mmCIF file of all heavy atoms in Angstrom:
data_model
loop_
_atom_site.group_PDB
_atom_site.id
_atom_site.type_symbol
_atom_site.label_atom_id
_atom_site.label_comp_id
_atom_site.label_asym_id
_atom_site.label_seq_id
_atom_site.Cartn_x
_atom_site.Cartn_y
_atom_site.Cartn_z
ATOM 1 N N VAL A 134 -4.817 2.959 -25.322
ATOM 2 C CA VAL A 134 -4.242 2.378 -26.466
ATOM 3 C C VAL A 134 -3.601 3.457 -27.431
ATOM 4 O O VAL A 134 -4.330 4.475 -27.653
ATOM 5 C CB VAL A 134 -5.284 1.548 -27.287
ATOM 6 C CG1 VAL A 134 -4.753 0.898 -28.487
ATOM 7 C CG2 VAL A 134 -5.946 0.539 -26.298
ATOM 8 N N VAL A 135 -2.472 3.330 -27.840
ATOM 9 C CA VAL A 135 -1.803 4.189 -28.637
ATOM 10 C C VAL A 135 -1.904 3.703 -30.150
ATOM 11 O O VAL A 135 -1.562 2.537 -30.409
ATOM 12 C CB VAL A 135 -0.214 4.308 -28.364
ATOM 13 C CG1 VAL A 135 0.392 5.347 -29.305
ATOM 14 C CG2 VAL A 135 -0.072 4.808 -26.931
ATOM 15 N N THR A 136 -2.491 4.597 -30.980
ATOM 16 C CA THR A 136 -2.701 4.179 -32.432
ATOM 17 C C THR A 136 -1.810 4.922 -33.407
ATOM 18 O O THR A 136 -1.632 4.533 -34.459
ATOM 19 C CB THR A 136 -4.108 4.401 -32.742
ATOM 20 O OG1 THR A 136 -4.426 5.776 -32.597
ATOM 21 C CG2 THR A 136 -5.075 3.561 -31.934
ATOM 22 N N HIS A 137 -1.231 6.042 -32.975
ATOM 23 C CA HIS A 137 -0.348 6.853 -33.731
ATOM 24 C C HIS A 137 0.986 7.195 -33.070
ATOM 25 O O HIS A 137 1.019 7.332 -31.798
ATOM 26 C CB HIS A 137 -1.036 8.203 -34.156
ATOM 27 C CG HIS A 137 -2.145 8.000 -35.114
ATOM 28 N ND1 HIS A 137 -3.340 7.449 -34.730
ATOM 29 C CD2 HIS A 137 -2.285 8.354 -36.449
ATOM 30 C CE1 HIS A 137 -4.172 7.395 -35.723
ATOM 31 N NE2 HIS A 137 -3.600 8.017 -36.787
ATOM 32 N N GLY A 138 2.043 7.160 -33.903
ATOM 33 C CA GLY A 138 3.293 7.501 -33.359
ATOM 34 C C GLY A 138 4.236 8.111 -34.492
ATOM 35 O O GLY A 138 4.194 7.508 -35.598
ATOM 36 N N GLY A 139 5.041 9.075 -34.197
ATOM 37 C CA GLY A 139 5.880 9.695 -35.200
ATOM 38 C C GLY A 139 5.113 10.233 -36.365
ATOM 39 O O GLY A 139 5.600 10.257 -37.477
ATOM 40 N N GLY A 140 3.880 10.670 -36.174
ATOM 41 C CA GLY A 140 3.043 11.273 -37.178
ATOM 42 C C GLY A 140 2.404 10.257 -38.108
ATOM 43 O O GLY A 140 1.867 10.625 -39.155
ATOM 44 N N LYS A 141 2.502 9.005 -37.774
ATOM 45 C CA LYS A 141 1.904 7.902 -38.614
ATOM 46 C C LYS A 141 1.051 7.058 -37.852
ATOM 47 O O LYS A 141 1.224 6.926 -36.513
ATOM 48 C CB LYS A 141 2.980 7.093 -39.286
ATOM 49 C CG LYS A 141 4.006 7.923 -40.184
ATOM 50 C CD LYS A 141 5.008 6.882 -40.714
ATOM 51 C CE LYS A 141 5.952 7.646 -41.651
ATOM 52 N NZ LYS A 141 7.060 6.715 -42.272
ATOM 53 N N GLU A 142 0.042 6.397 -38.414
ATOM 54 C CA GLU A 142 -0.700 5.439 -37.843
ATOM 55 C C GLU A 142 0.112 4.119 -37.698
ATOM 56 O O GLU A 142 0.737 3.736 -38.689
ATOM 57 C CB GLU A 142 -1.962 5.187 -38.607
ATOM 58 C CG GLU A 142 -2.976 4.091 -37.981
ATOM 59 C CD GLU A 142 -4.300 3.969 -38.653
ATOM 60 O OE1 GLU A 142 -4.522 4.725 -39.671
ATOM 61 O OE2 GLU A 142 -5.122 3.159 -38.308
ATOM 62 N N LEU A 143 0.083 3.560 -36.538
ATOM 63 C CA LEU A 143 0.859 2.363 -36.194
ATOM 64 C C LEU A 143 0.338 1.122 -36.920
ATOM 65 O O LEU A 143 -0.920 0.989 -37.036
ATOM 66 C CB LEU A 143 0.959 2.025 -34.703
ATOM 67 C CG LEU A 143 1.590 3.203 -33.921
ATOM 68 C CD1 LEU A 143 1.570 2.768 -32.447
ATOM 69 C CD2 LEU A 143 2.981 3.519 -34.321
ATOM 70 N N PRO A 146 -1.704 -1.358 -32.966
ATOM 71 C CA PRO A 146 -1.835 -0.503 -31.771
ATOM 72 C C PRO A 146 -1.009 -1.143 -30.689
ATOM 73 O O PRO A 146 -0.859 -2.319 -30.600
ATOM 74 C CB PRO A 146 -3.368 -0.502 -31.463
ATOM 75 C CG PRO A 146 -4.017 -0.961 -32.763
ATOM 76 C CD PRO A 146 -2.979 -1.840 -33.496
ATOM 77 N N VAL A 147 -0.592 -0.184 -29.738
ATOM 78 C CA VAL A 147 0.190 -0.604 -28.631
ATOM 79 C C VAL A 147 -0.642 -0.217 -27.317
ATOM 80 O O VAL A 147 -1.170 0.954 -27.358
ATOM 81 C CB VAL A 147 1.635 -0.175 -28.589
ATOM 82 C CG1 VAL A 147 2.445 -0.729 -29.697
ATOM 83 C CG2 VAL A 147 1.727 1.332 -28.576
#
Side-chain angles (χ1 to χ4, degrees):
V134 182
V135 179
T136 59
H137 288 72
K141 299 178 181 179
E142 184 173 355
L143 301 179
V147 296

